[in-house]
Amino acid sequence: MFEKKTAFWGLGLSAVISLMLLLLRPQLLFDYDFESFFPSDDPELAFYQDFRERFENDNDYLLIALGNSSGIFEKGFLENASLFQSELKKLEFAERVISILDLEESIINPFGIVKRKVLDWSDPLTLSTTSERVLKDPQFSENLISKDGDYLLIILKNKQLITKEEGDQLYGSVKQLLENSGIETYYSAGKIKAQGEFVSLLQAEFAFFLGISFLLIIVVLYLIFRTWWGILVPVFVLATGIAWTTAIMMLLGKPLDIMSVMQPTILLVVGLSAMVHYLTFYLTQLRNGLPKDKAIHATFSGLFLAIFLTFLTTSLGFFSLYATSAVSLKMFGLFTGLGVLLMFLSVVLITPGLLYLLGPLSSVSRDKWVENWRIGLRISLLLTLANRKLVVIGFALVSVLSLIGISQLQINGYLLDNLPRDHELVEEFNFFDRQFGGSKPLEISLEVGKKAKTLLDREVLEEIVVLETFLHDKFSVGTIISPLTLVKNINKALNGGNVNAFRLPSPGQMLLISSNVEMALEKAGLKLLSEDRKSGRLSSRTSDEGSLKSSILKKELEDFLKSEINSDLLKVKLTGTSILIDKSHETITHQMAKGLGIAFVLVGLVIGFLFRSWRISLLVLLPNVIPLLWMCGVMWLLGIELKLTTAIVFTVAFGIAVDDSIHFMTKLQSELKKGKSLLYAIKRTYLETGKAIILTTLILVSGFSILIFSDFGVTYLAGLLISMALVFALLSDLLLLPILLFPMKKIFDSKINQSSN
C-alpha cells in the first residue's frame, strides 16, 4: 500500500484535491452570534421566539452614556448632547432614540392636554427647576440619568434582528458621531458593539494563533529532528490539512466564529503528533539498517492502524459535541471532527511520497540521545514496577481528592464570559451596571388569567404592583416599564405632573384612565400590550451577576409567583435572551456529560473491537478517565467554574489524551503476537513507544499552552485545562497503565492463543 508508486499516486491525489478546492474559491468569513449558544431544543427558546414575534427582540438596542465633569445640567453640554442625538436619529438602521433630552410629559386638565419638556434648559432658572424635579423622579434617576447626575443615557433602538453587517455599519456611524461630538466622556454598550468587537478580536486572534502555531511547530521539529526535511515535510502536510478543512468549512457556508479560533491549533498539534510518531519510527528503521524504501514501507504499514485509531478516536471526541443542543457547539464539533479526519487524509496521502522524494538517502547513525532515551525509559519502567503499590495508592488518593473537588464545582457564567473580566468591553458594561441599573435585559411575559379581561384591569394591576415590588427587592432592577407604568404615567398626567401621583390610581380614578391609554401607548417607546390587551411585557435592565445567582433568583421568583401572585388574574413567565444565556451554561454543562459518555462508549467500542475484549477496553479507558478527574480537581483549586467555556474541554481532552493509550496498546498487541511474554512485551512497548508518547505530549502541551494568551475565555481555558489533562494522561500511561496490565495476563494469553489458532 505504501510502495513508491502508490505513494506518488497519493501525492497526485492530494494535489488534485487542493486544486479543486482552490478553483471553487472559498471565501473566508467571520461571525459571532451569541444566540448560537442557546439550546435549540429548549421549550423556553420556543416561548421566547413566539414572545419576540408578538412584541420585539429584547436586546436590539445600544446604550450610550454622555458625561460632563461639571455635571450634565449645564446648558452648553445639553445643547451639544441634543445636537448629537439629532444626528443619531438620522442614521440608517436606527429606529428610535430615547433620552431625557427631548422627552415630554403630558399634563391632562379640563381644558385638554398640555405638553411640557421633562428637562428644559432654555434659561438657568428653568434648568434648575426641571433638573431638581428630574433627580427626584424615580422614572428618570438611575434610568435616563445616572444617580450622581454626571451622565445622561441615550437608548438607541436599532432595527429588529439586525444583521452583523448592518450592526457594524450602524455602530461605526455612532462611533464616528461620538468622536466628532466634542463631548468629553462617553461610554457605549449593546449587542451591535459587542458583536463587532468580538469579530475584530476573533480575526486578530485567528491570524495570531495560526502564525504562532506554525512557528512553534518549526521550533519543535528542529529540536526533535535537526534536519531540513524533518521540518519541511510536516509543515507542508499540516498546512495542507488545515487548508482543506478551512476551505470545506467556507464552501459549506460555515463562517469562522469564536470556537473556530482553536481549530488551527487543535489540528496542528493532532497532526504533528502523528507526524512525530511516523518520523521517529522511520528514523528508527533507518538506524536499524533498513534501506530508505523498505523503511518507509515498514513505517507506514506498521503504524497505519495505530495512527488511524488515534485520529478516529480524536474525531469521535469532537463529533460527540453534536449531542449538545447549542448550534455553535454542534458546528464546532462537526467541523473539527471532520478536520481531524482530513488531517489524517493529508498525512497518509502526502507524507510517504514526500519522504521518497526528500528523505535521507542513507541510513541514519545512532546518536547518544537515542541511548539516553532508552536508559531513561528503562529506569522509569523499573521504578514503576518496583513501586506498584505506591503508584496505585498515589493515583487513588489524588483521584479521591479530585472527586471531592468535583462535588464543590459550581455552574456559573456571565454574558461576556468569553472576555477577561478586565477587558475594555466588560468594563463598559460594568459602568452601565453601576450607573444606570444594569446593561443586561430583563424580560417578563404577562398574560391575563381566566378571571381577568385585560392586563389593565385594576385587580391585575394590583398583582403587577406586587410583582414589581419583588423584582426591586430581589433582582435589583433598574426602572421597570410595564402596563402598570403606562397607567401610573396617565395618573401622573391627570394630577398635573406631580411625581407623587406616579402610582396605581384609586378605583374611582381608573375610570379616567382608559380614555388616555392609546395616547400613552404611542409615547411608550416600546410595545407593552397586545392589541386585545390580554398579553404584555415587563421590561427592565439588571447587572450581570452570573448565571448561578440568576438561577437562584429565578427559583425564588417561581416560588414567589406560586405563593403570592393570583394566577387566575395574572400569569407571569421569565423570558428573554439573558435568561436563555444563563440557562445555556447549565444545560450545555449537563449535555457535555452526555457527550462525554457517548465519547467513552465510542472509544471503548473501538478498543474493544481491536482487542476483542470488553475488560481490556475498560482497562484502557481507566487511565484516560483519571486525567479528567484530576482536571476537575485543578479547576476546584483554581476557582474555575463550570460553564460553556469549560464544559467542552472534557470531551476534547479525552479524545486527544486517549491516543497515547491506543499507541501503547497496539504496540503491546504486536509484541504479544510475536510470542513474547507479557512482561517482556510491556518492556519492549514501553521502550519503543515511550519516547514518542513523551514527545507527542510535549508537542500537544506546547501547542495548547499558547492558547492561554487568548483574550477569549473559551480559548484561554481550553488551552490551560487541556494542557493539564494531557500531562496527567502522560503520567497515567507511563506509570499506571503498565501496572494495570499485569492482572490481565490470562486474558491476553487467551486472545493471543485464539488469534494464532
Side-chain angles (χ1 to χ4, degrees):
M1 180 178 177
F2 295 102
E3 292 84 1
K4 182 181 289 189
K5 182 178 179 181
T6 309
F8 287 156
W9 274 107
L11 274 179
L13 179 59
S14 64
V16 170
I17 294 172
S18 300
L19 183 60
M20 288 177 59
L21 292 174
L22 186 63
L23 291 175
L24 291 172
R25 302 181 66 181
Q27 298 296 314
L28 188 62
L29 301 173
F30 292 86
D31 193 19
Y32 176 75
D33 180 9
F34 68 87
E35 292 190 15
S36 65
F37 287 100
F38 291 167
S40 58
D41 57 354
D42 194 324
E44 291 200 20
L45 175 60
F47 180 89
Y48 172 66
Q49 289 172 336
D50 176 67
F51 176 86
R52 183 167 62 184
E53 286 294 321
R54 290 183 287 124
F55 296 100
E56 65 179 6
N57 198 32
D58 68 346
N59 65 346
D60 275 326
Y61 60 78
L62 180 70
L63 304 177
I64 305 170
L66 306 180
N68 190 42
S69 57
S70 56
I72 63 171
F73 301 114
E74 187 180 86
K75 183 176 181 180
F77 168 78
L78 292 172
E79 288 179 345
N80 207 10
S82 181
L83 180 61
F84 167 74
Q85 179 175 290
S86 299
E87 294 299 316
L88 276 183
K89 294 178 179 179
K90 301 175 185 178
L91 297 180
E92 189 177 4
F93 310 122
E95 291 192 344
R96 185 179 175 87
V97 178
I98 303 169
S99 84
I100 203 170
L101 293 169
D102 58 358
L103 199 62
E104 292 183 332
E105 290 181 309
S106 298
I107 298 176
I108 304 172
N109 57 45
F111 302 101
I113 300 174
V114 177
K115 303 281 189 180
R116 73 174 183 188
K117 293 189 68 176
V118 171
L119 184 62
D120 189 346
W121 60 87
S122 56
D123 60 75
L125 181 61
T126 306
L127 176 58
S128 176
T129 303
T130 57
S131 63
E132 184 177 345
R133 185 176 70 244
V134 164
L135 285 171
K136 293 179 180 178
D137 196 323
Q139 281 186 277
F140 309 124
S141 182
E142 293 188 66
N143 179 23
L144 294 180
I145 60 172
S146 63
K147 56 186 176 182
D148 56 12
D150 287 339
Y151 295 91
L152 67 83
L153 179 67
I154 297 177
I155 304 174
L156 170 62
K157 298 185 76 64
N158 53 255
K159 172 186 173 183
Q160 287 289 290
L161 301 177
I162 193 169
T163 66
K164 170 65 176 54
E165 292 73 20
E166 292 169 343
D168 286 345
Q169 180 181 333
L170 177 58
Y171 179 68
S173 300
V174 172
K175 189 175 180 181
Q176 188 67 42
L177 287 177
L178 283 169
E179 291 172 352
N180 297 333
S181 67
I183 295 171
E184 60 183 60
T185 308
Y186 51 82
Y187 296 90
S188 60
K191 186 177 77 171
I192 60 172
K193 178 178 182 178
Q195 288 191 167
E197 295 283 349
F198 266 105
V199 171
S200 296
L201 189 57
L202 176 66
Q203 291 172 325
E205 290 218 343
F206 184 82
F208 171 75
F209 284 116
L210 187 60
I212 199 171
S213 295
F214 271 107
L215 180 62
L216 173 68
I217 283 174
I218 291 172
V219 172
V220 169
L221 289 171
Y222 175 77
L223 293 175
I224 294 174
F225 300 113
R226 296 188 297 278
T227 62
W228 65 271
W229 63 268
I231 297 174
L232 180 61
V233 172
V235 167
F236 183 81
V237 170
L238 300 176
T240 301
I242 290 178
W244 287 355
T245 302
T246 305
I248 290 176
M249 284 175 58
M250 297 301 101
L251 291 173
L252 293 177
K254 172 66 174 68
L256 297 178
D257 57 18
I258 188 170
M259 303 297 296
S260 304
V261 171
M262 295 185 291
Q263 270 186 339
T265 301
I266 291 173
L267 296 180
L268 281 171
V269 295
V270 170
L272 185 58
S273 173
M275 292 298 298
V276 169
H277 274 287
Y278 270 135
L279 295 182
T280 302
F281 194 84
Y282 171 56
L283 290 173
T284 300
Q285 301 306 308
L286 292 175
R287 291 189 182 103
N288 291 337
L290 284 181
K292 176 179 174 179
D293 290 7
K294 290 186 178 181
I296 294 174
H297 185 272
T299 297
F300 285 88
S301 298
L303 292 183
F304 180 82
L305 179 60
I307 295 295
F308 170 72
L309 289 176
T310 58
F311 275 96
L312 177 62
T313 53
T314 301
S315 66
L316 290 176
F318 287 108
F319 284 139
S320 69
L321 294 176
Y322 204 80
T324 65
S325 58
V327 174
S328 182
L329 293 182
K330 280 178 177 285
M331 293 299 100
F332 172 71
L334 179 63
F335 283 102
T336 307
L338 176 63
V340 170
L341 296 180
L342 288 172
M343 183 61 75
F344 170 74
L345 190 64
S346 175
V347 169
V348 297
L349 285 181
I350 300 175
T351 310
L354 287 183
L355 287 179
Y356 277 114
L357 291 173
L358 304 175
L361 301 177
S362 59
S363 63
V364 179
S365 61
R366 186 182 301 271
D367 58 31
K368 64 177 182 179
W369 292 108
V370 176
E371 290 301 323
N372 290 340
W373 271 104
R374 295 182 66 84
I375 293 171
L377 289 169
R378 188 179 295 111
I379 293 172
S380 173
L381 179 60
L382 291 174
L383 289 174
T384 299
L385 297 181
N387 297 278
R388 297 185 197 182
K389 289 184 180 180
L390 186 61
V391 171
V392 172
I393 291 172
F395 271 83
L397 181 61
V398 177
S399 298
V400 169
L401 292 174
S402 297
L403 285 171
I404 295 173
I406 291 175
S407 67
Q408 303 299 314
L409 288 177
Q410 293 180 319
I411 300 173
N412 191 29
Y414 296 83
L415 286 179
L416 296 178
D417 237 342
N418 287 318
L419 292 176
R421 304 314 295 170
D422 59 350
H423 191 275
E424 179 184 353
L425 190 60
V426 178
E427 291 178 349
E428 289 205 315
F429 274 77
N430 288 339
F431 166 83
F432 287 96
D433 289 346
R434 294 190 305 270
Q435 298 290 342
F436 294 100
S439 58
K440 178 180 178 180
L442 175 69
E443 201 74 26
I444 293 178
S445 168
L446 305 175
E447 301 280 344
V448 295
K450 61 184 179 181
K451 292 185 179 180
K453 293 180 180 179
T454 74
L455 289 176
L456 297 179
D457 292 354
R458 195 175 190 282
E459 295 82 359
V460 177
L461 292 172
E462 287 176 342
E463 298 296 314
I464 298 177
V465 170
V466 176
L467 172 62
E468 290 190 2
T469 301
F470 174 83
L471 293 175
H472 278 297
D473 291 342
K474 292 292 184 178
F475 277 68
S476 301
V477 297
T479 299
I480 294 175
I481 301 177
S482 71
L484 176 62
T485 312
L486 194 76
V487 172
K488 288 161 74 174
N489 263 320
I490 298 173
N491 191 50
K492 179 182 174 184
L494 289 168
N495 286 273
N498 188 343
V499 173
N500 295 325
F502 185 71
R503 54 183 171 78
L504 180 64
S506 65
Q509 290 174 309
M510 281 297 295
L511 298 174
L512 301 174
I513 297 295
S514 58
S515 60
N516 295 287
V517 167
E518 291 300 329
M519 176 193 69
L521 282 171
E522 290 179 8
K523 290 178 59 62
L526 71 164
K527 189 173 182 181
L528 290 173
L529 289 167
S530 61
E531 291 184 5
D532 60 6
R533 298 178 186 175
K534 292 182 180 295
S535 62
R537 63 190 293 203
L538 183 154
S539 297
S540 186
R541 296 191 306 273
T542 66
S543 57
D544 185 12
E545 299 183 74
S547 63
L548 177 61
K549 186 169 183 179
S550 292
S551 64
I552 295 172
L553 290 175
K554 182 182 178 184
K555 180 63 169 60
E556 290 183 11
L557 175 61
E558 291 170 350
D559 293 340
F560 170 81
L561 294 175
K562 290 177 183 177
S563 61
E564 303 296 332
I565 299 296
N566 186 348
S567 60
D568 288 338
L569 294 174
L570 178 66
K571 296 178 181 178
V572 180
K573 183 175 178 60
L574 191 61
T575 188
T577 53
S578 296
I579 197 68
L580 286 169
I581 292 175
D582 289 337
K583 187 176 181 181
S584 66
H585 287 287
E586 182 174 354
T587 302
I588 298 302
T589 300
H590 291 310
Q591 289 183 347
M592 289 306 302
K594 173 185 172 183
L596 188 58
I598 292 173
F600 283 159
V601 172
L602 292 175
V603 173
L605 289 174
V606 170
I607 299 171
F609 175 78
L610 179 64
F611 293 99
R612 304 294 195 276
S613 170
W614 64 269
R615 291 186 181 90
I616 296 176
S617 178
L618 292 177
L619 180 144
V620 176
L621 286 175
L622 180 59
N624 293 285
V625 172
I626 287 175
L628 303 185
L629 293 179
W630 291 12
M631 185 169 67
C632 288
V634 170
M635 289 175 63
W636 173 59
L637 289 174
L638 297 179
I640 299 173
E641 296 165 317
L642 287 170
K643 60 189 78 177
L644 275 169
T645 50
T646 56
I648 65 167
V649 302
F650 291 92
T651 304
V652 175
F654 172 74
I656 296 175
V658 77
D659 293 352
D660 287 337
S661 297
I662 291 176
H663 277 291
F664 192 99
M665 293 302 295
T666 50
K667 177 62 176 176
L668 177 68
Q669 185 186 50
S670 173
E671 294 296 329
L672 289 172
K673 285 182 178 180
K674 296 176 182 178
K676 296 172 182 175
S677 67
L678 180 60
L679 177 59
Y680 187 78
I682 290 174
K683 175 186 174 183
R684 292 290 303 169
T685 301
Y686 200 95
L687 297 179
E688 291 291 333
T689 64
K691 177 183 177 182
I693 289 174
I694 293 172
L695 287 176
T696 53
T697 299
L698 290 175
I699 291 167
L700 289 168
V701 170
S702 299
F704 279 107
S705 292
I706 66 173
L707 297 178
I708 66 175
F709 297 106
S710 172
D711 282 331
F712 287 126
V714 61
T715 313
Y716 167 80
L717 290 174
L720 177 67
L721 296 175
I722 293 175
S723 296
M724 290 182 175
L726 293 174
V727 172
F728 299 152
L730 174 66
L731 296 175
S732 291
D733 286 327
L734 294 184
L735 300 180
L736 184 62
L737 183 57
I739 295 173
L740 295 177
L741 292 172
F742 284 100
M744 309 293 288
K745 183 177 185 302
K746 291 183 179 180
I747 296 175
F748 280 116
D749 291 342
S750 173
K751 296 299 176 184
I752 296 302
N753 290 334
Q754 288 178 12
S755 62
S756 61
N757 291 335

